[in-house]
Amino acid sequence: QFSPDGKGAASGSVDQTIKLWEVATGREVRTFEGHTEGVWDVSFSPDGRWILSGSEDQTLKLWDVETGKTLQTFSGHAAVVAAVSFSSDGRTALSGSLDGTLKLWEIKTGSLIATLVGFRDGEWIVMTPEGYYTSSVDGDAHLNLRIGSRVYSIDQFRATFYRPSVVAAA
């Protein structure tokens, strides 16, 4: 991916690194090391200060472009993180995984804000880490609740956890 000013480019690699390149010369400027498996995607923050990476190790990492140091590690996906992107203000990030979810993250704290899941029938669910959710008309038909080894239909808990206003506020 090109840096916002177009002078740099970042690449992820199966060798578990991210490389920062000077576009005009093709010179390697810096190597970022810290993922334990291949890097599938990289994204620059809007101000160009940070790089976000997604990896086969199921994490995202936030890197300082100047120092090459890891600033934050985001964990929560159950498969390869195949796509990463910053919001236009740089305060949040979105990650897409082969686990079938999109996750919205707060950059400053590394906290998960919400998980978005779409289903093949066109239905969808958005859930907060606290368990509150909103969904399309029949989206929650895909949702169950497990307590210990017992699984329950969400219908029994909908009055407690179906909170579109709480999800929107998050």
Side-chain angles (χ1 to χ4, degrees), residues 87-143:
S87 61
S88 60
D89 64 7
R91 294 175 52 201
T92 57
L94 188 66
S95 58
S97 171
L98 298 186
D99 66 12
T101 67
L102 293 173
K103 291 189 181 283
L104 183 63
W105 307 90
E106 182 180 7
I107 291 293
K108 187 175 183 178
T109 65
S111 300
L112 178 64
I113 298 169
T115 300
L116 299 81
V117 184
F119 301 98
R120 290 186 178 161
D121 61 1
E123 301 295 334
W124 54 268
I125 298 173
V126 179
M127 299 170 286
T128 68
E130 299 79 22
Y132 298 112
Y133 76 96
T134 188
S135 68
S136 57
V137 174
D138 293 320
D140 57 6
H142 295 277
L143 190 59

Side-chain angles (χ1 to χ4, degrees), residues 10-81:
S11 62
S13 175
V14 295
D15 72 0
Q16 307 167 8
T17 67
I18 296 105
K19 299 218 185 266
L20 180 63
W21 306 91
E22 186 177 77
V23 173
T25 64
R27 179 180 69 87
E28 182 183 321
V29 176
R30 180 168 290 106
T31 298
F32 303 78
E33 297 180 287
H35 280 292
T36 59
E37 296 192 42
V39 177
W40 279 44
D41 196 21
V42 294
S43 179
F44 276 94
S45 62
D47 61 9
R49 292 178 37 217
W50 303 323
I51 292 174
L52 188 65
S53 59
S55 171
E56 291 177 33
D57 65 15
Q58 303 175 9
T59 68
L60 294 80
K61 289 189 181 289
L62 181 69
W63 307 87
D64 183 292
V65 170
E66 287 298 314
T67 66
K69 292 186 179 179
T70 304
L71 301 173
Q72 195 73 255
T73 298
F74 306 78
S75 299
H77 281 292
V80 172
V81 178

